[in-house]
Amino acid sequence: MAGEADFFLEEKRFKQYCEDFVKHSQQIGDGWEWRTSKDLGDGYLSKTHFQVRNRHIPPDLKEKNNDDTEQMLFAHVEEPLDDSQAAGVCSTEEVVRYEYHVLYSSSYQVPVLYFRACFLDGRPLTLDEIWGSVHASYQDRLQEGPWDTITQQEHPILGQPFFVLHPCQTNEFISAVLGGSQEHHRHTNYIILWLSTVGPVVGLNLPLSYAKLAAEQSTDADLAERALS
Amino acid sequence: MTDDKDVLRDVWFGRIPTCFTLYQDEITEREAEPYYLLLPRISYLTLVTDKVKKHFQKVMRQEEVSEIWFEYEGTPLKWHYPIGLLFDLHASNTALPWSITVHFKNFPEKDLLHCHSKDVIEAHFMACIKEADALKHKSQVINEMQKKDHKQLWMGLQNDKFEQFWAINRKLMEYPPEDNGFRYIPFRIYQATTERPFIQKLFRPIASGGQLHTLGDLLKDVCPSAITPEDGEQKIQVMIHGIEPMLETPIQWLSEHMSYPDNFLHISIIPRPTD
């Protein structure tokens, strides 16, 4: 597709955008942190939170479902639960611990979203349970090619199994958002735009205040440039 | 003088004699005999061990059998790594046959990826090939191929058909005449001692002055701590497909001739045996 190659991200830029992202996260208490690996100095963004999932199938989805796989849906929680709150959840609901990591792929020159999920007793979610929990609007794409969308892979820094949202899909999503040339968007925080687009596919939402950060950086940089010219 | 193409055959047909033994705590109805098999270096454990699974399942009750997994001296073996890499990394300086323990219970969720069907192996294999081509050709060659060509790469590997595989793979090994090699070299360097599973970075096969970068150049650039000064004794071995290529070897040549079918050079750095 024309223009797909435009949306690459250099590693230095990636680190800078992540730094700004974490600063904003700290200001609003959104729980993201940057983790640096001791040996090579590369790193990744990390966030852990708990989500409540309701075990029920709404009537309209029941018709679509022709297999026995139980559809697990999210009840989006405004505030992420902490450990004490998680224990108080009643037994008809289930609490799932999600861990999200944002890494940089030098091969594709894009950020990549890794995540893993387990119940409170430590049992990890299976790939089927993960596929089942993908947001309803993305289910069609997932049915077409599950192996191209979310797969289980080895985390390149930790060496443990994680689920990964395939980088090929990143370009598809980002092309739609960053419609103009990369030149026009050179000051926009790529990480915020990217994560706000792909995160919801796997239950990760960014509070609206991040949009302010993206716009601020854009404005400041444009002002600086105009002052210099 | 050996033709370079002979190297491709030698790599493809490399085998490791292996002895599979059932884990002692698995519950059996009769005693389980060990099972011997020559494993292809270039393939994956879960792709070539159907006979192993059948052999042990014969002496077990159905309810005791869940997903198979393999372990060597306490270390769960990652099925998504090529067999030759696993052997070089964990057992290259031990006596043959390679002794692998077979498990059907207590799958180590924190260490191993699941492999419920051959589709998972195919998806992983093809993802590696695509990533390799992203590095070599900005994905141009792999994207120009038809689905049936992709299938032929997988079928060639699955059915151990060298000619069938290389009929397509040779296109992934070409480069424009004006260049002297690939854009970047697909490689991964493994050391059993690190938490990080492997090192992978962008590395060009040709220097700005036009000289060919060597294996030694790659190691110096990517993991300098592994290379000791030339006058001292090398405490480590740099191993690919069970051999130690000379550090002067051009990395472009290695990429074209000693990559695994997934188009990556999987390089092991292991301690040199002292005796």
Side-chain angles (χ1 to χ4, degrees):
Chain A
M1 264 201 275
E4 255 189 28
D6 294 340
F7 305 113
F8 65 87
L9 180 68
E10 287 151 28
E11 188 161 11
K12 282 203 184 94
R13 282 260 191 111
F14 167 77
K15 284 184 172 165
Q16 183 58 53
Y17 288 144
C18 287
E19 201 181 297
D20 298 337
F21 182 89
V22 170
K23 277 200 198 109
H24 187 83
S25 170
Q26 283 164 347
Q27 282 168 12
I28 64 170
D30 195 34
W32 286 94
E33 59 179 29
W34 175 261
R35 293 199 188 153
T36 312
S37 78
K38 296 172 210 132
D39 55 351
L40 295 184
D42 55 355
Y44 54 94
L45 287 173
S46 168
K47 174 175 175 172
T48 301
H49 72 188
F50 296 85
Q51 288 187 352
V52 178
R53 286 148 67 102
N54 293 317
R55 282 186 155 267
H56 76 281
I57 303 169
D60 49 330
L61 272 185
K62 237 185 188 158
E63 270 130 39
K64 274 196 219 164
N65 253 9
N66 49 20
D67 56 296
D68 296 326
T69 317
E70 213 174 308
Q71 285 279 317
M72 309 248 317
L73 300 173
F74 286 111
H76 284 288
V77 182
E78 281 304 309
E79 309 281 330
L81 301 178
D82 62 33
D83 290 17
S84 58
Q85 286 174 306
V89 168
C90 70
S91 56
T92 55
E93 298 161 314
E94 278 184 320
V95 177
V96 178
R97 178 183 180 276
Y98 279 83
E99 198 179 336
Y100 297 96
H101 291 186
V102 176
L103 276 81
Y104 179 73
S105 162
S106 53
S107 304
Y108 291 106
Q109 300 196 279
V110 290
V112 186
L113 183 58
Y114 287 74
F115 63 100
R116 59 182 171 188
C118 60
F119 297 101
L120 288 184
D121 62 1
R123 177 171 85 78
L125 268 69
T126 64
L127 184 55
D128 279 337
E129 285 167 329
I130 294 286
W131 281 347
S133 66
V134 164
H135 196 280
S137 18
Y138 299 105
Q139 279 292 342
D140 285 342
R141 180 69 187 86
L142 189 60
Q143 299 303 328
E144 270 174 55
W147 303 112
D148 292 332
T149 319
I150 298 175
T151 54
Q152 197 190 29
Q153 285 180 35
E154 179 181 46
H155 191 290
I157 297 178
L158 299 178
Q160 293 169 16
F162 271 71
F163 295 108
V164 183
L165 188 57
H166 202 276
C168 281
Q169 303 311 309
T170 303
N171 265 327
E172 232 175 84
F173 295 136
I174 287 293
S175 304
V177 173
L178 287 179
S181 70
Q182 198 184 23
E183 180 57 28
H184 177 69
H185 292 285
R186 68 194 180 284
H187 302 298
T188 315
N189 189 311
Y190 185 111
I191 293 299
I192 293 173
L193 277 174
W194 166 77
L195 197 53
S196 63
T197 311
V198 304
V201 179
V202 295
L204 176 65
N205 296 299
L206 289 189
L208 226 46
S209 78
Y210 281 100
K212 272 191 291 169
L213 174 67
E216 265 165 21
Q217 288 192 309
S218 205
T219 314
D220 288 346
D222 285 344
L223 283 174
E225 281 208 18
R226 258 180 256 147
L228 289 171
S229 61
Chain B
M1 198 54 183
T2 318
D3 193 30
D4 278 357
K5 288 210 171 68
D6 290 341
V7 176
L8 301 181
R9 282 189 173 272
D10 288 343
V11 165
W12 183 272
F13 291 107
R15 296 286 186 267
I16 297 169
T18 309
C19 172
F20 290 92
T21 308
L22 186 65
Y23 182 56
Q24 60 199 17
D25 288 358
E26 299 283 338
I27 297 166
T28 58
E29 298 185 328
R30 306 189 286 291
E31 178 156 359
E33 295 283 316
Y35 191 87
Y36 291 83
L37 194 58
L38 282 173
L39 295 179
R41 275 181 161 274
I42 49 133
S43 192
Y44 301 95
L45 279 172
T46 43
L47 190 55
V48 297
T49 49
D50 282 345
K51 289 192 178 149
V52 177
K53 191 161 73 166
K54 283 200 182 89
H55 168 83
F56 289 116
Q57 282 178 339
K58 268 190 280 185
V59 302
M60 296 174 70
R61 281 195 300 230
Q62 186 53 38
E63 57 268 26
E64 298 294 337
V65 173
S66 146
E67 187 176 351
I68 195 173
W69 58 279
F70 305 97
E71 161 247 310
Y72 173 70
E73 295 196 340
T75 304
L77 294 176
K78 297 178 180 180
W79 66 263
H80 70 287
Y81 286 5
I83 291 166
L85 167 63
L86 289 170
F87 180 78
D88 290 345
L89 194 57
H90 297 299
S92 60
N93 291 307
T94 62
L96 295 173
W98 187 20
S99 293
I100 293 181
T101 308
V102 180
H103 292 257
F104 288 99
K105 289 203 310 266
N106 299 319
F107 190 88
E109 302 279 353
K110 291 214 155 51
D111 299 299
L112 298 183
L113 304 181
H114 282 284
C115 188
H116 293 301
S117 74
K118 299 280 187 289
D119 290 343
V120 178
I121 312 174
E122 181 179 3
H124 166 69
F125 176 67
M126 292 312 301
C128 291
I129 290 190
K130 287 179 182 167
E131 184 177 350
D133 204 58
L135 289 166
K136 289 199 274 188
H137 304 116
K138 291 199 212 179
S139 304
Q140 278 159 10
V141 178
I142 195 73
N143 285 345
E144 262 166 24
M145 285 182 183
Q146 297 175 337
K147 261 210 164 92
K148 69 174 172 71
D149 294 335
H150 294 177
K151 253 315 179 186
Q152 189 168 332
L153 290 169
W154 166 245
M155 297 305 289
L157 176 72
Q158 189 178 24
N159 300 324
D160 194 23
K161 295 273 191 269
F162 175 84
E163 300 290 352
Q164 183 185 35
F165 176 80
W166 273 97
I168 307 297
N169 199 52
R170 62 177 184 80
K171 298 185 213 166
L172 295 168
M173 293 301 180
E174 290 168 351
Y175 46 87
E178 60 270 21
D179 303 336
N180 282 317
F182 304 135
R183 182 163 192 251
Y184 297 110
I185 298 291
F187 73 89
R188 288 188 178 156
I189 297 178
Y190 303 79
Q191 286 174 271
T193 50
T194 58
E195 180 188 65
R196 179 187 297 263
F198 54 79
I199 299 173
Q200 180 179 344
K201 282 190 185 162
L202 295 179
F203 188 81
R204 291 194 188 274
I206 317 286
S208 47
Q211 321 93 292
L212 293 169
H213 277 141
T214 64
L215 177 59
D217 293 332
L218 173 70
L219 293 165
K220 257 185 246 156
D221 190 70
V222 162
C223 52
S225 54
I227 299 292
T228 53
E230 274 148 39
D231 50 308
E233 260 205 35
Q234 284 282 8
K235 291 209 179 81
I236 51 106
Q237 288 179 300
V238 179
M239 190 164 289
I240 314 177
H241 294 295
I243 63 155
E244 292 185 72
M246 286 166 46
L247 296 181
E248 294 85 353
T249 315
I251 197 74
Q252 174 67 30
W253 186 93
L254 282 172
S255 183
E256 288 175 50
H257 295 87
M258 291 190 68
S259 290
Y260 282 75
D262 65 3
N263 278 232
F264 269 82
L265 275 172
H266 295 287
I267 304 168
S268 299
I269 295 188
I270 51 176
R272 184 175 294 278
T274 45
D275 52 53

